[in-house]
Amino acid sequence: MAPPLSRWIARWRESADPHVGLDSILAGARPDAPAADRLAWLRDLSAWLRAGLADNAEARTASPQSVRLRHLLAVLERQPEKRAAVAATLRAALAGRDAFDLLIETGMPREAGFLGELVHRVFAKVLPEPPPADLGGLFLQVFPSRGDAELVSGIAAENWQGVLALFDHGDDAAAFRAGLARAAALAIEALVVQVCAATMPSVIRTRMQPAQGAPLAAWGLPEAARAFVLACAAGDSARREQRAEALRAAIGQSLLEAEQAYTHLDDQGVSVPVVYQLERMRAQLQRAGELVELLSQPERLPQVLPHFVASLIHDVHDHRSVRALLAQSFELAARKVVERSAETGEHYITRNRAEYRAMLAHASGGGAVMAATTYLKFAISALHLPQFHEGVLASLNYAASFVAIQLAGFTVATKQPAMTAPALAARMKGLEEPERMREFLDEVANLVRSQSAGIFGNVFVVFPVAWLLGTLLAGALGANPVDPQKAAKTIDSISILGPSALFAAMTGVLLWLSAILAGWVDNWFAYRRLGPAIAGHRRLVYVFGPSAMQRAGDFLTREIAGLTANVSLGFMLGSVPVILGFYGLPVEVRHVTLSSGQLAAAVVTLGWGVAATAPFWLAVAGIALIGALNVGVSFALALNVAIGARGIHGIGRRAVYGAILRRMVREPASFLFPRRE
């Protein structure tokens, strides 16, 4: 056995010179060899064709694969015996395999459901490949890389004519081509039958139908495909083209109906299994259309075949990728989630002075409620309960406060960024146009100004209200609600010199997660049509009356996203530190409004003299940093997900950031205060 280094050198020489190694490959062409030997020979021939070339004049004017294929065909033209042997071996290697499975399964989602397809692809990644039992398995070994599609497309049409002529060389060539044509015709019929069957479930059918009860074009596909197949078998070119045109029209209309289903998903909510079924249907329709092109125009086979083979290579490797399946199936769901967040976020963006004043008022109300939340948090800590019970009570305290703020029409500033980022991402298209860029910059200024108004309203109200409430409690109870040791510790914990920055960033992540969860629940609520279901529930209507249940259904449809965000955020703020503490991680939450209220409570206990000390001002600086990180982290995460979910590509991010910085330098006040109208 040759040493590894020798084998590497031999492979390098073979890839550098098309003449090296070809003679041995051609000598191994034996149509009567065992099936395993014929497959090994075909893999060797494929590897030789895919290899590169040394730098020479031919390689500069054509792809290496075209040069190698042209050389192969020229050699076979000069050696009729080898030409006959190679042609017979190729037909023997392919004819013994099932072309039908290649055409309907290779590169197609194989499982009926999303989870089954996911498991199938995971196992295909981790388990060894079995010996190929059909053309599908052989195809993957002949074209092991996705980049082979570009190699196939780069081969000139005259070389493809030579390849087809090679397959036609020999006595059994006609039977071989007829067998492939029959397999392609059966594949068309099988694919359209699968598409027709996939449209029958109501969850798919109702989304594809242009009107309730209207017939779908997919229902006529089997009949159109059968007519086309019979026309191909009859050999009448005019009739074949006529039937092909009718089948193409039916396939095109079915694709339009599948696209229509996506618009209905926007209205009725998104389900990953439904998205998977629609993508599977589209892939089957596109494959059927490609096969129709192959069979309807046999005279254009050299031009059509390379595009079909390249498409097949792309499909094979795309449908083996776990990442591609997840991205394909979850992209629409993610987009819908951020769109739900964007719809909510529009309410948090102020664009004039009246809206700015309204935001200040709403944020002021939220700050007043959070002052009470602060003292309830101190009261829960004073009970010295087990960590689990303290976490549950803290979660209920936060959740109840956030829900009360929502129902009262108030706002908490740190909840805005995760909602407003998707609304901003919706405007990040077409920024190459000056007018669109100007509109985008105006929206950025509006958004930052809205965040500023929210923070000003929260912080500048929670501090005096918390101080006043603490003073009243001290007078009523005869003692300060927070003991001096706890007050001093609170000031130190908020200090900019401590771990507040890390904890504030983690809190920003929790704020973003609550917004994502809110969008998901809102989408799920719409998909399940729970609003109408609640309004029409027979027993509840009997007990409470139809008008009350209608109001309840409308209320939940309108407020479910906000309720989910508030409850989930409250429980995350109260429970995450307890859960992480169980694993020995001393993590705390740092929320700018709560931290401001805690600082005011500490001032009540320690007196205003503490304002003359360095720890107090370090805590004030810490609050500023906490607010920036709460807002910045949640906004950055939400914006990044929104951009990805909307499929926004090609944006010059440096240009966008530069434009924002220039606007800040020229008009800094526009990011803090509304312009004159």
Side-chain angles (χ1 to χ4, degrees):
M1 179 180 295
L5 182 59
S6 300
R7 290 202 302 271
W8 292 340
I9 294 174
R11 289 176 182 173
W12 176 81
R13 290 182 60 200
E14 184 172 303
S15 66
D17 186 353
H19 300 276
V20 176
L22 180 59
D23 290 339
S24 61
I25 293 174
L26 297 182
R30 293 186 296 114
D32 57 345
D37 292 345
R38 293 197 303 266
L39 290 180
W41 175 83
L42 190 58
R43 287 195 297 271
D44 290 342
L45 179 61
S46 170
W48 182 85
L49 288 170
R50 287 200 317 273
L53 284 175
D55 187 21
N56 55 50
E58 272 191 305
R60 296 191 196 101
T61 59
S63 69
Q65 288 66 43
S66 293
V67 174
R68 285 178 174 269
L69 183 57
R70 188 163 58 242
H71 173 71
L72 171 63
L73 295 174
V75 169
L76 294 178
E77 282 291 336
R78 295 193 300 267
Q79 303 181 34
E81 306 85 4
K82 289 187 177 180
R83 177 182 173 86
V86 168
T89 306
L90 285 172
R91 289 194 297 269
L94 301 180
R97 305 286 157 173
D98 192 355
F100 177 74
D101 287 341
L102 169 72
L103 297 176
I104 69 166
E105 289 188 359
T106 301
M108 290 283 109
R110 295 195 175 190
E111 303 297 328
F114 169 77
L115 290 178
E117 181 70 16
L118 179 62
V119 171
H120 170 78
R121 296 192 188 190
V122 170
F123 283 164
K125 288 286 186 183
V126 300
L127 297 179
E129 287 284 342
D134 53 25
L135 275 179
L138 178 62
F139 189 88
L140 186 60
Q141 293 192 0
V142 172
F143 300 105
S145 169
R146 196 177 189 276
D148 291 332
E150 283 68 31
L151 303 182
V152 169
S153 300
I155 296 175
E158 58 268 20
N159 289 337
W160 278 103
Q161 289 175 341
V163 172
L164 294 175
L166 182 62
F167 275 100
D168 287 340
H169 182 72
D171 297 335
D172 59 340
F176 172 75
R177 290 193 66 171
L180 291 181
R182 283 194 300 272
L186 288 175
I188 292 173
E189 291 191 276
L191 288 168
V192 298
V193 166
Q194 291 179 31
V195 171
C196 182
T199 63
M200 295 303 174
S202 61
V203 70
I204 301 292
R205 186 184 67 252
T206 55
R207 286 167 168 78
M208 292 182 66
Q209 287 173 321
Q212 187 174 4
L216 293 174
W219 297 348
L221 283 173
E223 182 180 354
R226 187 60 185 164
F228 171 70
V229 169
L230 292 176
C232 291
D236 185 346
S237 59
R239 183 182 170 200
R240 180 184 65 219
E241 183 55 36
Q242 181 184 10
R243 298 300 186 185
E245 189 61 32
L247 181 54
R248 289 192 199 99
I251 291 174
Q253 185 60 36
S254 299
L255 285 170
L256 289 176
E257 289 173 345
E259 291 295 330
Q260 178 69 19
Y262 284 101
T263 63
H264 284 205
L265 289 177
D266 287 345
D267 298 333
Q268 303 176 20
V270 174
S271 166
V272 169
V274 171
V275 174
Y276 171 77
Q277 288 294 342
L278 290 173
E279 290 296 330
R280 185 170 185 256
M281 193 184 310
R282 287 205 306 182
Q284 291 169 333
L285 287 169
Q286 289 168 354
R287 176 66 57 80
E290 292 168 351
L291 291 173
V292 170
E293 293 300 318
L294 285 176
L295 292 182
S296 64
Q297 303 180 37
E299 67 281 356
R300 296 190 65 248
L301 202 57
Q303 291 78 30
V304 177
L305 186 60
H307 298 293
F308 175 74
V309 176
S311 174
L312 205 59
I313 295 171
H314 280 303
D315 290 343
V316 164
H317 291 282
D318 286 346
H319 289 91
R320 285 173 56 84
S321 169
V322 175
R323 180 182 298 178
L325 174 66
L326 294 175
Q328 182 185 62
S329 299
F330 282 100
E331 180 177 350
L332 186 62
R335 190 180 78 198
K336 194 58 191 172
V337 166
V338 298
E339 282 177 356
R340 298 277 179 179
S341 298
E343 292 171 6
T344 305
E346 287 289 344
H347 303 300
Y348 290 121
I349 301 178
T350 65
R351 296 180 174 87
N352 52 54
R353 290 196 167 195
E355 293 178 353
Y356 184 83
R357 288 193 294 269
M359 177 61 70
L360 281 174
H362 295 160
S364 299
V369 174
M370 293 298 284
T373 306
T374 301
Y375 284 102
L376 286 174
K377 175 64 172 65
F378 279 124
I380 293 170
S381 299
L383 296 176
H384 301 293
L385 297 173
Q387 288 293 309
F388 173 78
H389 298 93
E390 183 174 334
V392 170
L393 289 178
S395 300
L396 292 173
N397 177 32
Y398 293 142
S401 299
F402 293 147
V403 170
I405 289 171
Q406 175 191 354
L407 298 180
F410 301 147
T411 188
V412 178
T414 50
K415 283 180 55 191
Q416 297 173 12
M419 296 293 188
T420 51
L424 183 64
R427 293 167 172 81
M428 293 184 68
K429 287 187 177 181
L431 296 185
E432 298 82 8
E433 302 175 11
E435 183 61 28
R436 295 297 299 272
M437 176 62 81
R438 190 158 45 249
E439 293 175 357
F440 173 74
L441 294 176
D442 289 341
E443 197 67 6
V444 171
N446 292 335
L447 189 148
V448 174
R449 186 168 60 247
S450 303
Q451 307 301 315
S452 303
I455 292 177
F456 293 159
N458 280 169
V459 172
F460 292 154
V461 170
V462 70
F463 190 94
V465 171
W467 180 85
L468 179 61
L469 184 58
T471 302
L472 294 176
L473 287 173
L477 299 175
N480 290 319
V482 181
D483 63 78
Q485 184 179 2
K486 178 68 173 178
K489 185 178 179 181
T490 297
I491 293 178
D492 291 337
S493 68
I494 303 173
S495 172
I496 194 173
L497 300 180
S500 292
L502 179 62
F503 296 159
M506 187 203 73
T507 305
V509 175
L510 299 183
L511 290 162
W512 167 70
L513 287 175
S514 69
I516 291 295
L517 184 60
W520 182 85
V521 170
D522 194 21
N523 173 75
W524 176 81
F525 197 88
Y527 176 74
R528 298 290 178 181
R529 302 186 71 242
L530 291 181
I534 293 171
H537 194 282
R538 293 181 61 187
R539 292 185 179 179
L540 294 178
V541 167
Y542 178 78
V543 174
F544 298 103
S547 60
M549 292 313 302
Q550 184 63 50
R551 289 195 300 272
D554 294 342
F555 171 79
L556 288 176
T557 301
R558 185 176 62 253
E559 303 290 349
I560 187 65
L563 292 172
T564 302
N566 288 318
V567 173
S568 63
L569 178 60
F571 273 84
M572 283 190 286
L573 292 178
S575 301
V576 167
V578 175
I579 295 172
L580 294 179
F582 176 79
Y583 292 99
L585 298 175
V587 173
E588 301 176 16
V589 294
R590 289 290 184 270
H591 188 281
V592 62
T593 310
L594 287 170
S595 297
S596 301
Q598 290 171 344
L599 182 61
V603 170
V604 171
T605 299
L606 301 176
W608 280 106
V610 73
T613 64
F616 175 84
W617 292 106
L618 289 174
V620 171
I623 288 174
L625 179 62
I626 290 169
L629 288 173
N630 285 168
V631 171
V633 170
S634 60
F635 180 80
L637 290 172
L639 183 61
N640 183 60
V641 172
I643 290 174
R646 292 178 183 274
I648 300 173
H649 304 291
I651 296 178
R653 296 196 177 189
R654 290 186 179 180
V656 172
Y657 296 152
I660 294 174
L661 288 175
R662 286 192 296 273
R663 171 68 71 88
M664 286 184 172
V665 171
R666 290 198 306 265
E667 304 177 46
S670 66
F671 289 86
L672 296 176
F673 307 104
R675 298 175 177 175
R676 290 184 176 274
E677 299 176 14

